[in-house]
Amino acid sequence: MRDLTNEEKQQSLKRALTCTGGALDRWSARAATGLNDVGMVKAVRYELGICGGSGRSNSIHIHYEGAGLKVWAAWEIFIPSSAEPIFQGDATIKAARCLFGIKNPDDVQLDLF
């Protein structure tokens, strides 16, 4: 079993969060205005939807679910119910903030930079 690199995990998260039409435009708009934690959870849950996934030969297989904000990814076929997600809950929110450059307007530390 080949482990995913950090870059492959980020690419998998991006695939999961941009799988629907217009997603990149929505993320750009969110980055322009920023989102607090509640807004970020809603946005990630919206983009993940109920569940979905993709995979093909010589590609990373992904599965994602809005419930629990979970994203799975692996080089081989897997069963999500018996595999550990690469992102889940708060970790998904933090990774999505970083990936799309979305600031939290409620974070007073932002004023220092």
Side-chain angles (χ1 to χ4, degrees), residues 1-112:
M1 176 190 293
R2 179 177 156 196
D3 289 336
L4 295 173
T5 65
N6 285 334
E7 184 177 327
E8 291 168 335
K9 289 178 182 179
Q10 294 299 315
Q11 290 171 352
S12 298
L13 179 63
K14 186 173 184 178
R15 276 177 55 200
L17 292 172
T18 60
C19 62
T20 58
L24 286 174
D25 291 335
R26 288 189 295 276
W27 284 117
S28 292
R30 293 168 181 142
T33 60
L35 289 173
N36 64 19
D37 288 337
V38 172
M40 223 20 223
V41 168
K42 288 179 182 178
V44 169
R45 188 172 287 131
Y46 176 83
E47 298 299 346
L48 293 177
I50 295 171
C51 71
S54 68
R56 62 181 186 272
S57 297
N58 299 319
S59 175
I60 296 171
H61 299 266
I62 65 169
H63 180 81
Y64 42 87
E65 297 177 1
L69 308 174
K70 297 177 184 177
V71 177
W72 291 262
W75 278 103
E76 57 281 325
I77 296 171
F78 60 92
I79 300 170
S81 62
S82 60
E84 189 71 26
I86 60 169
F87 295 103
Q88 179 175 338
D90 289 339
T92 308
I93 298 303
K94 289 177 186 175
R97 272 193 193 285
C98 182
L99 182 65
F100 296 109
I102 299 177
K103 295 186 168 120
N104 183 347
D106 293 345
D107 187 354
V108 294
Q109 292 296 315
L110 290 177
D111 294 336
L112 299 176

